């Protein structure tokens, strides 16, 4: 039997408040480029990578990149 598995990767990016969102945007773009539309040798497909600005907390600003993945498991 073949089963399709789905999951989510969340990459949290913290930059110092006041350093500007451009640093977080640059890092988020690196993560997006690394995952979006890619597959692993084991058959994991990465798609729908989305950056999400999460806001400030103390001296930090948080940006997440959320990546969905799927793979098939055979039992």
């Amino acid at each position: 039997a073949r089963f399709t598995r789905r999951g989510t990767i969340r990459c949290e990016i913290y930059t110092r408040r006041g350093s500007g969102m451009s640093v977080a945007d640059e890092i988020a773009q690196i993560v997006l480029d690394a995952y979006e539309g890619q597959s692993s040798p084991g058959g994991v497909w990465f798609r729908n990578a989305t950056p999400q600005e999460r806001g400030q907390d103390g001296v930090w600003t948080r940006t997440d990149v959320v990546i969905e993945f799927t793979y098939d498991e055979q039992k």
Side-chain angles (χ1 to χ4, degrees), residues 42-63:
V44 179
W45 287 92
F46 304 97
R47 48 181 56 91
N48 298 330
T50 308
Q52 300 174 343
E53 294 181 11
R54 306 299 284 183
Q56 297 178 353
D57 184 13
V59 298
W60 301 103
T61 298
R62 178 176 155 193
T63 302

Side-chain angles (χ1 to χ4, degrees), residues 2-3 10 13 16 20 29-30 33 37-38 61-62 68:
R2 179 182 227 152
F3 301 92
R10 179 176 303 272
I13 301 164
R16 207 171 249 305
Q29 190 60 53
I30 291 168
D33 292 343
Q38 302 296 318
T61 298
R62 178 176 155 193
E68 296 175 8

Side-chain angles (χ1 to χ4, degrees), residues 1-6 42-43 70-75:
R2 179 182 227 152
F3 301 92
T4 298
R5 307 292 188 204
R6 291 172 170 54
T70 60
Y71 65 93
D72 290 331
E73 182 177 11
Q74 193 140 346
K75 291 186 176 184

